[in-house]
Amino acid sequence: MTENENTTADAVADKDPARGLAAVRALRTLADRLEDIHVDNARRAGWSWQQIADVLEISRQAVHQKHSRRDSATD
Protein backbone atom coordinates (compact mmCIF):
# COMPACT_ATOMS: atom_id res chain seq x y z
CA MET A 1 0.00 0.00 0.00
CA THR A 2 1.34 3.43 -0.91
CA GLU A 3 1.54 6.34 1.50
CA ASN A 4 -1.39 8.06 -0.31
CA GLU A 5 -3.53 4.91 0.06
CA ASN A 6 -2.66 4.75 3.77
CA THR A 7 -3.68 8.39 4.17
CA THR A 8 -7.01 7.77 2.42
CA ALA A 9 -7.66 4.61 4.44
CA ASP A 10 -6.93 6.45 7.69
CA ALA A 11 -9.13 9.38 6.65
CA VAL A 12 -12.10 7.09 5.97
CA ALA A 13 -12.33 6.27 9.68
CA ASP A 14 -11.35 9.75 10.88
CA LYS A 15 -13.86 11.70 13.02
CA ASP A 16 -12.78 14.98 11.39
CA PRO A 17 -15.41 15.78 8.72
CA ALA A 18 -12.87 17.53 6.48
CA ARG A 19 -10.62 14.45 6.35
CA GLY A 20 -13.58 12.09 5.95
CA LEU A 21 -15.05 14.11 3.10
CA ALA A 22 -11.64 14.36 1.43
CA ALA A 23 -11.46 10.57 1.59
CA VAL A 24 -14.89 10.31 -0.04
CA ARG A 25 -13.68 12.61 -2.83
CA ALA A 26 -10.51 10.54 -3.32
CA LEU A 27 -12.48 7.29 -3.45
CA ARG A 28 -14.99 8.78 -5.89
CA THR A 29 -12.13 9.93 -8.13
CA LEU A 30 -10.58 6.45 -8.00
CA ALA A 31 -13.91 4.76 -8.79
CA ASP A 32 -14.49 7.10 -11.75
CA ARG A 33 -11.01 6.40 -13.12
CA LEU A 34 -11.46 2.63 -12.75
CA GLU A 35 -14.81 2.86 -14.53
CA ASP A 36 -13.22 4.82 -17.39
CA ILE A 37 -10.47 2.23 -17.79
CA HIS A 38 -12.76 -0.79 -17.70
CA VAL A 39 -15.45 0.68 -19.94
CA ASP A 40 -12.70 1.45 -22.45
CA ASN A 41 -11.39 -2.13 -22.12
CA ALA A 42 -14.89 -3.53 -22.62
CA ARG A 43 -15.52 -1.38 -25.72
CA ARG A 44 -12.17 -2.41 -27.21
CA ALA A 45 -13.16 -6.04 -26.56
CA GLY A 46 -16.36 -5.50 -28.55
CA TRP A 47 -18.86 -5.17 -25.71
CA SER A 48 -22.07 -3.27 -26.43
CA TRP A 49 -23.21 -0.33 -24.35
CA GLN A 50 -26.03 -2.55 -23.07
CA GLN A 51 -23.61 -5.24 -21.85
CA ILE A 52 -21.57 -2.64 -19.99
CA ALA A 53 -24.69 -1.04 -18.52
CA ASP A 54 -25.96 -4.43 -17.32
CA VAL A 55 -22.75 -5.10 -15.38
CA LEU A 56 -22.66 -1.58 -13.93
CA GLU A 57 -26.38 -1.81 -13.12
CA ILE A 58 -27.19 1.51 -14.78
CA SER A 59 -29.08 2.36 -17.96
CA ARG A 60 -27.54 1.95 -21.38
CA GLN A 61 -28.24 5.63 -21.98
CA ALA A 62 -26.38 6.67 -18.82
CA VAL A 63 -23.24 4.70 -19.63
CA HIS A 64 -23.32 5.80 -23.27
CA GLN A 65 -23.75 9.47 -22.33
CA LYS A 66 -20.91 9.33 -19.81
CA HIS A 67 -18.40 7.43 -21.95
CA SER A 68 -19.27 7.79 -25.64
CA ARG A 69 -17.29 10.99 -26.21
CA ARG A 70 -14.12 9.32 -24.99
CA ASP A 71 -14.99 6.20 -26.98
CA SER A 72 -15.33 8.12 -30.26
CA ALA A 73 -12.08 9.98 -29.55
CA THR A 74 -10.16 6.68 -29.42
CA ASP A 75 -11.52 5.36 -32.74
Side-chain angles (χ1 to χ4, degrees):
M1 201 181 271
T2 67
E3 183 177 327
N4 190 34
E5 290 169 333
N6 284 332
T7 302
T8 301
D10 290 342
V12 168
D14 199 298
K15 298 289 185 195
D16 176 10
R19 289 199 63 205
L21 291 168
V24 169
R25 184 186 65 239
L27 292 169
R28 192 174 287 146
T29 299
L30 175 59
D32 286 343
R33 182 65 186 126
L34 288 171
E35 183 178 320
D36 289 345
I37 290 167
H38 290 290
V39 167
D40 186 51
N41 289 345
R43 293 294 294 162
R44 289 176 189 264
W47 282 40
S48 70
W49 291 113
Q50 187 61 58
Q51 289 172 299
I52 296 166
D54 289 346
V55 173
L56 292 175
E57 297 183 358
I58 60 174
S59 72
R60 180 195 61 78
Q61 292 84 357
V63 75
H64 183 262
Q65 183 177 10
K66 184 173 181 181
H67 295 283
S68 66
R69 288 177 289 259
R70 207 171 25 78
D71 186 55
S72 62
T74 60
D75 289 343

